[in-house]
Amino acid sequence: MECVVYGDGPGRPETVECDLEDAACQSVLKRLRGLGEGEFGWVRLVDPSEDELVQLADELGLHPLAVEDAVQARQRPKSERFGDVLAVALKTLWYVEEEAAVETGEMMLFVGPRYVLTVRHGTVDPCAEAARRLDADPDMLRFGPWSVLHAVLDVVVDAYSDAAAMVRAALTRLEDLVFSSDRVDVTERIYSLKREVREFRDAVQPLAPVAQGLLGGPVTDSPGLLPYFRDVTDHLHRTDIEVRTLDELLNAVLDAQQARVGTWQNDDMRRISAWAAIFAIPTMVAGVYGMNFEHMPELGWSYGYPFAVGLMLAASGALYRAFRRNGWL
């Protein structure tokens, strides 16, 4: 657990000591009760237990359903109002290039009149970068807890954009393989990346209406915040379009790969058919002269055997040249 108290003026934020697990909640709650004018607190939890979160919920006035959502961490991006507390659920996301995989986590933000509570599940921590941006731009703190919500959303959406760029680079590499002259079957890799893009869409697409709803909802109470949240919404909308485009491109690449596999199979069948036709000529001639009839033309001819072999070679050579000229061999 971490707790930072911000003021509306310049100066470094105050960090509340909460090293001892047994007393962590009490020390944080005590400091939140003693907030001065213009101050607000930011409490950060990582994979909290239900007991730990319930202690904070009772003091901060969080709804039990919202607490349950925060603990279970299996929510779609959404926003809900519980009295004077806004609860926002969103997914964190990052791209692991070595595994060509999109990994996701989850975060729940509770924005109250004088506090922000963030509950994080997953490896990536957007709160650290959000705190750094707030430290670099202390003027945003005049918006109180809403500044934290904006900073976290901004970091998460920027991560979406970075991940989309990396997925597009991976898709470009797959396109190069699909349309290369080498026979490389990347169907499985395309399916794998498509599955990751679907997971990407599940994180980005539901968050777009949530961000749009903030513009027409609680953010309107602070007109100065609107441009900042509009900027985040625009970036999110652009990323949403990019992810949809990637999904469509993957469909096209998959179709192209399947068409190429079909072409390879046709080429193989043509080669097999061509060689079968070439070997059919000697087989036919040998079959005729292997019927062992007593009276057959050329059986007593001294040049009969060279003639038969020459006929086989000439006919096979003619077929070989014809198939080469038509591109079958």
Side-chain angles (χ1 to χ4, degrees), residues 131-302:
R132 189 196 64 78
R133 294 185 184 185
L134 287 175
D135 292 342
D137 187 12
D139 288 343
M140 286 294 297
L141 296 175
R142 71 183 186 275
F143 298 115
W146 295 106
S147 61
V148 175
L149 175 61
H150 167 266
V152 172
L153 277 175
D154 195 31
V155 172
V156 169
V157 172
D158 285 348
Y160 288 171
S161 300
D162 295 340
M166 298 179 75
V167 171
R168 177 170 281 276
L171 174 57
T172 301
R173 290 192 292 270
L174 285 177
E175 287 177 331
D176 293 339
L177 290 174
V178 167
F179 296 105
S180 68
S181 57
D182 300 330
R183 283 197 177 192
V184 182
D185 190 356
V186 292
T187 303
E188 185 176 352
R189 292 170 61 181
I190 295 173
Y191 268 116
S192 177
L193 187 59
K194 186 172 178 59
R195 186 170 56 249
E196 301 303 322
V197 169
R198 287 290 184 181
E199 187 174 356
F200 202 157
R201 286 189 64 176
D202 289 343
V204 177
Q205 192 172 346
L207 186 58
V210 172
Q212 191 67 39
L214 292 175
L215 295 177
V219 178
T220 55
D221 296 336
S222 301
L225 267 175
L226 281 174
Y228 296 99
F229 276 90
R230 269 200 301 264
D231 181 66
V232 173
T233 303
D234 289 343
H235 290 176
L236 181 60
H237 181 62
R238 186 164 59 244
T239 302
D240 185 26
I241 294 175
E242 173 72 2
V243 174
R244 292 170 186 264
T245 302
L246 290 173
D247 194 24
E248 294 172 359
L249 286 174
L250 278 168
N251 288 333
V253 171
L254 182 59
D255 291 341
Q257 176 64 35
Q258 292 174 335
R260 292 214 67 191
V261 171
T263 301
W264 296 338
Q265 292 173 343
N266 289 337
D267 290 342
D268 293 340
M269 288 302 299
R270 287 195 304 180
R271 288 187 178 92
I272 294 171
S273 300
W275 284 112
I278 290 172
F279 283 110
I281 297 296
T283 302
M284 181 187 69
V285 175
V288 169
Y289 282 91
M291 288 187 289
N292 298 320
F293 287 106
E294 182 177 355
H295 301 288
M296 289 184 66
E298 293 89 26
L299 284 180
W301 186 31
S302 59

Side-chain angles (χ1 to χ4, degrees), residues 1-4 6 32 40-48 52-53 56 60 62 70-71 85-90 92 106-112 115-121 125-128 130-131 134 145 147-153 156:
M1 174 186 290
E2 296 179 83
C3 180
V4 179
Y6 292 94
L32 293 179
F40 68 92
W42 182 4
V43 182
R44 308 169 195 165
L45 299 177
V46 181
D47 296 320
E52 185 179 17
L53 194 54
L56 290 172
L60 300 178
L62 304 182
V71 173
V85 178
L86 175 68
V88 178
L90 53 85
T92 56
E106 188 168 317
M107 173 168 284
M108 195 89 173
L109 297 94
F110 299 94
V111 184
Y115 71 87
V116 178
L117 172 63
T118 56
V119 181
R120 175 171 64 88
H121 299 271
D125 181 15
C127 295
L134 287 175
S147 61
V148 175
L149 175 61
H150 167 266
V152 172
L153 277 175
V156 169

Side-chain angles (χ1 to χ4, degrees), residues 278 281-282 284-286 289 301-319:
I278 290 172
I281 297 296
M284 181 187 69
V285 175
Y289 282 91
W301 186 31
S302 59
Y303 296 104
Y305 177 74
F307 173 76
V309 173
L311 179 62
M312 294 179 192
L313 293 176
S316 298
L319 283 178

